Amino acid sequence: MANKIRVATTSLAGCFGCHMSFLDIDERMLQLVEVVEFDRSPLTDIEHCTHCDIGLIEGGVCNSENVHVLREFRNNCKILVAVGACAINGGLPAMRNHIPLEECLNEAYLDGIGVENPQIPSDIELPLLLNQVYPIHEVVKIDYFLPGCPPSADVFWKFLTDLIEGREPSLPYELVHYD
């Protein structure tokens, strides 16, 4: 186990589609686990990221918990990767950036169609919302960016195998074109 590369993943403000695409590497996952040990990820029950070689982050930053998790990953990962449109530019969650937060909350919890017992949640257990959704590179230094919504399984595979084999990751046009 000591010679394996440690990888951690997390999802912030996103849809979890990037993780689903990562899992779409299918049987190649068996090859991957021969050389990789997963730290915090949906495949483990590890709550906090510890020292890792590679951290994969999907989703933008929309609340105080996202900021905390992102900083924990940056502090513990040698290489930090922004995965997918939400992590890279805020993606769909950032569509709320053009509307004041108070208006968003009012529409969702007070004035929306079908709202019963209208009240804006204020439980101390809920993380505080930020005024907008940020791409992760605006909060911490990011080493690599994997484009896509979501990046394909082949993009994940090519990127990770390049890193694992000590090569600078290079994604050929065929893997990242969207026309």
Side-chain angles (χ1 to χ4, degrees):
M1 280 269 211
N3 295 336
K4 288 189 173 188
I5 292 172
R6 291 181 56 82
V7 175
T9 73
T10 195
S11 182
L12 305 177
C15 70
F16 212 75
C18 293
H19 274 84
M20 296 305 294
S21 185
F22 172 63
L23 293 174
D24 281 344
I25 66 173
D26 298 327
E27 68 276 355
R28 293 177 288 185
M29 184 67 78
L30 298 174
Q31 290 174 258
L32 191 61
V33 296
E34 289 179 13
V35 294
V36 164
E37 174 186 2
F38 285 98
D39 188 78
R40 178 180 171 161
S41 83
L43 302 173
T44 65
D45 193 24
I46 299 172
E47 189 173 330
H48 295 283
C49 177
T50 60
H51 295 290
C52 289
D53 299 293
I54 302 168
L56 303 171
I57 309 286
E58 87 166 88
V61 180
C62 76
N63 63 45
S64 58
E65 180 183 22
N66 292 163
V67 172
H68 173 77
V69 169
L70 185 55
R71 288 181 176 157
E72 178 181 89
F73 267 70
R74 178 70 277 175
N75 289 336
N76 286 293
C77 298
K78 293 176 189 171
I79 296 171
L80 198 58
V81 184
V83 177
C86 294
I88 293 171
N89 62 28
L92 288 176
M95 290 178 70
R96 80 164 167 92
N97 290 354
H98 303 288
I99 303 168
L101 180 59
E102 184 178 1
E103 283 184 41
C104 289
L105 293 172
N106 286 344
E107 178 65 25
Y109 295 106
L110 302 178
D111 305 327
I113 295 172
V115 171
E116 295 182 24
N117 189 23
Q119 59 183 326
I120 295 175
S122 61
D123 191 303
I124 195 158
E125 295 292 319
L126 295 174
L128 294 174
L129 291 176
L130 303 178
N131 284 330
Q132 68 177 36
V133 178
Y134 295 90
I136 67 175
H137 72 272
E138 290 187 14
V139 179
V140 299
K141 179 186 177 294
I142 299 300
D143 302 298
Y144 294 99
F145 298 83
L146 281 185
C149 184
S152 71
D154 290 334
V155 166
F156 275 104
W157 182 253
K158 174 75 167 83
F159 178 81
L160 288 172
T161 54
D162 279 354
L163 277 181
I164 290 166
E165 294 171 7
R167 295 187 304 265
E168 183 66 23
S170 174
L171 299 174
Y173 177 78
E174 308 81 62
L175 286 182
V176 292
H177 75 93
Y178 301 100
D179 51 62

